[in-house]
Structure formats: C-alpha cells, structure tokens
Amino acid sequence: MSTIVSSPDYGKVFNDNIHGHILLHPLCVKFIDTPEFQRMRNIKQLGTTYLVYPCASVNRFEHSIGVCYLAGQMIEALCRNSGNDINVTTEEKLCVELAGLCHDLGHGPLSHSWERYLKASGVDWKHEESSTEMLKYIIQKYDLEKELKKYGLNMEYHVELICEFIRGEGKLLVENHFLYQVVSNKDNGIDVDKWDYFLRDGNCLNLSISFDYKRLMQFSRVVLDPHSNQPKQVIAFRNKEARNIYDMFRVRSDLHLRAYQHTAVQNTELMWIDVLLKAENYFTIQISSGAK
C-alpha cells in the first residue's frame, strides 16, 4: 500500500490493492504517522501461515487502513439508506473510523499466534484491550489532544467512545447503539473488520471470495431490534441478501478449513510457541498489569 496524494486539508489518498484509491480523514493520518502504528507494517496478519502459503504475508498495517475506510463507507451507507430514522454526527462517524483504524494496534508479533503464546504462558491478555491502551498512549505521547479538539473530539468522552467501538460494546451511546456494530459486531459477527480481512486474506491466499460487501452496504439500514425489551437500533439487511450473508460465513469457513486451520500452519504455530516458552528465561514481556 502506498500514498499517492497528500493534502493537509483533505487527508490522504491511499492506493489499496483491495479497495482501490481511498481517502482518509486528516486525523486518521496523524495516527498512521506514529511509530506505534507504523510497527504494524511488520506484524503478519496470518501468523505463521506464510510458512505454508508463501504469499500469505499481509500485515496488520494495510488491514487497519482498510477497516478505517470501510467503517466510514458503512456509516455513509446507513445514513443514506435510513434517512431521517437516524442522526449520526460528524464526530461520531470520525470516532467509528478511528476505531476501525486502531482496533488492531495491540497485536503482538504474528498477531493471534502471540495471543495464544501468552495464554499458554498463563497470561490473560486480549489484543482489543491492548489496542485501547495504545490508543490513549499515542494521544498522550504525541500530544494529539489538540488535534482531537480541532475536529470536535475530547479526551473525556470521544476517546472513551472510540475504545467502546473497538470493543464492540459500551454504555456511552443509547440512541445510536448500531454504531457499536460497525467495526466489531458482537450480536451477529457481520462487521467491516471481517469484510476487509476476508477479502485481504483471500486475495493473498489465492482463494475465490464470492460474497459482495458493497451490495450488503447498498441494502443495509438501521431498524429497531424486535427482540430487545428496550428500544435499540441495530443494523439490518434486506431479506433478499440472505444468500449473500450466507456466502460471507461460508467464506469464513473456507478460510479456516483451507488456511487458518491447515495442519502445517497449526504445527508451525505450535513450534513457534514452544520456542518462546523455552526462551522465557531470556526475555521480559511488559504488559499493563506488570512484567511477565
């Protein structure tokens, strides 16, 4: 992924191999330019899969930019399709985009393989929580609070809202509850994070991806959840998109069967974890709760 156009007023245009030329908000670019975000250029999204599939070397950097873009596109589609039924502020949309951009900041080497190593080592650690901590750390370290204020965001409310969007749940929003479903949908698993990594992983693995996320966006809107005792707005799709959604979950299954759960992939990951466990006396892991 490479930058082709830069403008201080309108952000940056990135040339992405999955989504084409995409424009990101100037505040998002501020986060991208930090060393903490740039480190994701070297964090392999598919862990040890590249040892089995030579081209499976996609990194968290480009995936995060893709999710940021899709989050903004999804908000625009929902506002367009739902009309006066919803009212999303510019600040809320920016918070969702930043959540998409920063949702994987907390990943360690080889992504989920690192999480599995820590679990085997007896450490209760989740990359989502680490992502929220790193988000706040970046803001403090690089004095980005003034940049947040420039676009109407504040530390007390909006940064916490971004963290809730990363987790996919929270209490700060009641009226626009559906915004929690854009990046990390805890209700049904249909979110822009999955859309991007399905397409990106399938592309580098040379697997055919049949579902059409653009069509899903086109036929999406916000409705009241009929199964909730309290009035709650959720993202819904036209009934004729049932087959498309089925294809989305089938693609997920195919990726697991043909790549993520491939015997050689799992074996190389176990070998890597064993190496780290045997080397624990020679390095220190610093986590929020202390050193390990």
Side-chain angles (χ1 to χ4, degrees), residues 170-228:
K171 299 179 179 179
L172 289 177
L173 281 185
V174 176
E175 183 176 348
N176 285 345
H177 178 270
F178 66 92
L179 293 177
Y180 289 112
Q181 298 181 314
V182 175
V183 174
S184 179
N185 193 331
K186 301 296 185 183
D187 293 329
N188 55 38
I190 305 174
D191 53 55
V192 298
D193 176 27
K194 292 181 181 63
W195 293 352
D196 186 85
Y197 85 70
F198 289 171
L199 292 167
R200 208 168 292 277
D201 292 359
N203 181 64
C204 73
L205 291 166
N206 196 31
L207 300 178
S208 177
I209 304 299
S210 58
F211 87 95
D212 187 352
Y213 81 86
K214 292 182 179 179
R215 183 175 172 87
L216 281 179
M217 282 189 182
Q218 189 71 31
F219 293 101
S220 66
R221 64 167 297 142
V222 174
V223 301
L224 287 176
D225 186 356
H227 305 294
S228 175

Side-chain angles (χ1 to χ4, degrees), residues 98-116:
L98 284 169
L101 184 71
C102 300
H103 78 287
D104 277 345
L105 267 176
H107 268 298
L110 298 180
S111 297
H112 292 292
S113 298
W114 180 256
E115 235 167 320
R116 294 179 187 116

Side-chain angles (χ1 to χ4, degrees), residues 17 41-60 62 110-111 113 197 199-207 255 258-260 262 265 268:
N17 65 322
R41 289 181 183 271
N42 300 312
I43 298 179
K44 294 191 182 298
Q45 180 160 302
L46 296 178
T48 60
T49 307
Y50 75 100
L51 296 173
V52 180
Y53 294 88
C55 292
S57 55
V58 61
N59 298 313
R60 290 286 164 183
E62 52 264 37
L110 298 180
S111 297
S113 298
Y197 85 70
L199 292 167
R200 208 168 292 277
D201 292 359
N203 181 64
C204 73
L205 291 166
N206 196 31
L207 300 178
L255 286 169
R258 301 174 67 179
Y260 306 156
H262 189 289
V265 171
T268 54

